[in-house]
Amino acid sequence: MVYYFTWEHDVPSLPPRWEQLLSPERVHKAMQYKRENDRRLCAWSFLLLRYALFCEYKTLVMPHWIYDENGKPHDSQKKYCFNISHCDTAVACAVDTREIGVDVQDFRPVS
């Protein structure tokens, strides 16, 4: 299943106490970005993944990942697969029990 969140301009502000909804490693990763929009994209992508996992699998457990040789995260329990993509105007997340992919890109009309 694919979930997405879009906006027209700047990446939306994060909800109050957003750090409590992310794993410590994701908070750390988000805070390493220099641009505020990049920090927000990192956080929103993880929040969307948590929402997708709740909708699909009714889990509120904080995801715990292992990383493959290419640095791609995977569910440590191997119960689900996921893929996240973001651009300046959207975040998308796909979850399934099999390998899955998703891609979002900004759309600009050709003039």
Side-chain angles (χ1 to χ4, degrees):
M1 180 63 69
V2 176
Y3 294 83
Y4 64 94
F5 179 41
T6 65
W7 50 88
E8 289 185 35
H9 303 289
D10 292 336
V11 180
S13 297
L14 294 162
R17 298 186 300 278
W18 64 272
E19 298 95 340
Q20 296 172 9
L21 301 171
L22 276 63
S23 67
E25 70 180 358
R26 195 63 173 193
V27 171
H28 178 74
K29 180 176 180 172
M31 298 312 289
Q32 288 181 332
Y33 288 104
K34 291 182 169 113
R35 292 181 347 134
E36 177 65 22
N37 275 356
D38 293 333
R39 286 193 291 272
R40 290 179 183 181
L41 285 169
C42 182
W44 275 120
S45 62
F46 190 84
L47 292 172
L48 187 61
L49 172 61
R50 293 214 47 204
Y51 176 75
L53 292 174
F54 176 76
C55 289
E56 297 301 313
Y57 305 108
K58 304 301 182 230
T59 182
L60 292 173
V61 175
M62 185 72 69
H64 183 268
W65 298 334
I66 56 173
Y67 295 86
D68 65 18
E69 62 277 357
N70 297 316
K72 179 175 172 31
H74 298 273
D75 172 38
S76 63
Q77 303 296 312
K78 300 185 180 184
K79 293 180 180 179
Y80 60 86
C81 298
F82 68 94
N83 190 254
I84 295 170
S85 178
H86 58 77
C87 59
D88 288 338
T89 59
V91 174
C93 175
V95 295
D96 201 290
T97 55
R98 299 175 295 178
E99 286 292 325
I100 191 166
V102 65
D103 186 38
V104 293
Q105 296 189 14
D106 293 317
F107 173 78
R108 292 183 179 86
V110 177
S111 52

